[in-house]
């Protein structure tokens, strides 16, 4: 069994690309760090790092092993923290990724309440519509709409089914009219954003046994889902958004939902985690908190 220090040195070297930098961070000599790496490689019988006089990089075996080491060290740290904080409430760092629109306009205020309930938790929030790589980036969990593309991820449900809705501002509808059927969306300006590397311009609607896919068009396209919402608020056209993203705008009268006798595309809303051992007590408490808040907003 490799020592914890040897594993920590390996992770530090992989992250920094330097034995000297890793040694400084762990208050060791470069020679001691180098010996630890050689000891780890000898025990495993594989080369983890390819070294030259000018550079150092992970081998393919090293990249695969690094993911397992990160998980193991995270689990050990979580266990130690749980013992230290038993009876004293939740604490530690919680790293969370979330979609930009939901994150800025809904989640931020919710996290203020979550922090008041658990003041010893340190929050780190990444807002981006690009899906964070949970195996590579410093993120514990990610909030995502839709079915996970990677079946190895652990999905913790927030809402099992959450609908997208077509919406527009009262000003836009007064100027351009209100569509009564999904097919009429072709006569309107659609507010589009990138999804999975392509413009999200096929909107799905269903009613009883009828299902329609409408290919929409418009002059506005962004790589940020929040921008589409802002364009809708400014009266530039019709957006097709997750209900959670626009619920407060609808309740405040800033946006109106359209085609209410049709159902928009239904997708799950999950907290995703790269491995079961990383589903900490902090993550479980956050899941329950978000389930309660989202259920109160859902329609």
């Amino acid at each position: 069994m490799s020592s914890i220090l040897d594993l920590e040195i390996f992770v530090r070297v992989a992250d920094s690309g330097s034995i000297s930098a890793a040694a400084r961070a762990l208050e060791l000599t470069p020679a001691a760090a180098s010996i630890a790496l050689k000891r780890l490689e000898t025990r495993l019988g594989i080369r983890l790092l390819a070294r030259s006089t000018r550079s150092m990089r992970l081998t393919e075996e090293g990249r695969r092993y690094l993911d397992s080491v990160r998980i193991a060290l995270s689990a050990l740290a979580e266990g130690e923290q749980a013992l230290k904080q038993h009876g004293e409430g939740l604490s530690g760092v919680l790293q969370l990724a979330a979609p930009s629109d939901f994150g800025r306009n809904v989640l931020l205020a919710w996290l203020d309440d979550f922090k008041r309930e658990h003041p010893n938790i340190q929050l780190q929030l990444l807002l981006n519509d690009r899906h964070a790589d949970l195996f590579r980036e410093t993120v514990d969990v990610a909030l995502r709409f839709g079915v996970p593309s990677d079946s190895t991820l652990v999905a913790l449900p927030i809402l099992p089914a959450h609908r997208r809705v077509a919406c527009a501002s009262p000003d836009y509808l007064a100027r351009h009219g209100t569509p009564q059927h999904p097919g009429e969306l072709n006569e309107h300006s659609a507010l589009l954003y990138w999804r999975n590397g392509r413009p999200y311009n096929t909107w799905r609607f269903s009613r009883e046994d009828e299902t329609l896919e409408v290919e929409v068009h418009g002059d506005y396209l962004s790589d940020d889902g929040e921008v589409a919402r802002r364009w809708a608020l400014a009266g530039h056209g019709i957006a097709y958004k997750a209900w959670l993203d626009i619920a407060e705008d609808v309740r405040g009268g800033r946006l109106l939902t359209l085609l209410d006798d049709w159902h928009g595309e239904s997708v799950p809303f999950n907290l995703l985690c790269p491995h079961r051992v990383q589903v900490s007590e902090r993550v479980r408490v956050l899941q329950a908190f978000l389930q309660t808040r989202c259920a109160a907003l859902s329609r």
Side-chain angles (χ1 to χ4, degrees):
M1 177 66 72
S2 301
S3 74
I4 294 175
L5 180 58
D6 289 357
L7 298 177
E8 290 178 340
I9 291 171
F10 170 56
V11 171
R12 294 274 186 170
V13 171
D15 288 343
S16 65
S18 166
I19 290 179
S20 297
R24 285 194 300 272
L26 295 171
E27 299 183 349
L28 300 170
T29 65
S34 182
I35 290 171
L37 283 175
K38 291 178 181 178
R39 182 169 56 236
L40 181 59
E41 289 179 325
T42 299
R43 194 193 71 77
L44 294 171
I46 58 173
R47 179 67 67 86
L48 298 172
L49 295 152
R51 306 171 180 85
S52 71
T53 56
R54 295 184 178 180
S55 65
M56 177 178 297
R57 63 174 178 80
L58 286 167
T59 64
E60 181 59 33
E61 293 81 4
R63 280 192 289 272
R64 292 200 301 268
Y65 188 56
L66 179 62
D67 291 337
S68 298
V69 172
R70 289 192 195 279
I71 290 170
L73 292 177
S74 176
L76 285 171
E78 187 69 34
E80 291 178 5
Q81 191 67 31
L83 289 174
K84 292 177 182 178
Q85 300 296 329
H86 180 66
E88 298 181 9
L90 295 178
S91 64
V93 177
L94 180 59
Q95 299 161 316
L96 172 65
S100 62
D101 196 349
F102 177 79
R104 290 186 178 95
N105 298 298
V106 181
L107 184 61
L108 277 179
W110 288 359
L111 288 180
D112 287 343
D113 295 336
F114 184 77
K115 190 73 169 66
R116 279 190 285 270
E117 294 177 15
H118 308 285
N120 294 324
I121 285 183
Q122 302 170 47
L123 290 171
Q124 296 181 6
L125 183 61
L126 172 66
L127 297 181
N128 200 314
D129 286 330
R130 176 186 60 81
H131 285 179
D133 186 338
L134 298 181
F135 293 102
R136 299 292 181 192
E137 300 185 31
T138 55
V139 174
D140 295 326
V141 287
L143 274 168
R144 289 183 187 167
F145 292 101
V147 177
S149 57
D150 188 340
S151 61
T152 65
L153 293 172
V154 178
L156 306 174
I158 303 300
L159 286 175
H162 183 64
R163 296 196 181 278
R164 300 186 188 278
V165 295
C167 61
S169 70
D171 174 65
Y172 175 86
L173 297 175
R175 288 183 286 114
H176 299 279
T178 301
Q180 302 299 316
H181 186 275
E184 297 177 20
L185 291 172
N186 287 316
E187 303 169 10
H188 290 264
S189 172
L191 306 173
L192 304 175
Y193 53 93
W194 291 88
R195 182 184 177 199
N196 299 327
R198 58 180 297 273
Y200 184 35
N201 62 348
T202 300
W203 296 355
R204 295 173 178 84
F205 298 89
S206 61
R207 182 175 63 181
E208 298 177 351
D209 296 330
E210 185 178 5
T211 300
L212 292 176
E213 289 190 353
V214 182
E215 187 172 335
V216 296
H217 308 277
D219 295 332
Y220 292 84
L221 172 64
S222 174
D223 64 349
D224 189 324
E226 183 188 6
V227 173
R229 170 183 159 272
R230 292 192 180 190
W231 281 335
L233 290 169
H236 295 316
I238 295 175
Y240 188 57
K241 296 286 293 176
W243 167 253
L244 287 175
D245 289 345
I246 63 163
E248 293 300 335
D249 293 320
V250 173
R251 292 178 179 181
R254 296 179 294 276
L255 291 176
L256 299 176
T257 60
L258 310 175
L259 307 169
D260 289 336
D261 53 342
W262 291 80
H263 295 295
E265 181 181 11
S266 180
V267 295
F269 191 37
N270 296 315
L271 266 179
L272 300 184
C273 193
H275 197 279
R276 182 66 61 183
V277 299
Q278 290 178 266
V279 183
S280 64
E281 182 64 17
R282 291 190 297 273
V283 172
R284 289 291 188 192
V285 171
L286 177 65
Q287 178 193 12
F289 174 86
L290 292 175
Q291 284 176 329
T292 300
R293 291 300 178 98
C294 287
L297 267 188
S298 62
R299 50 181 291 176

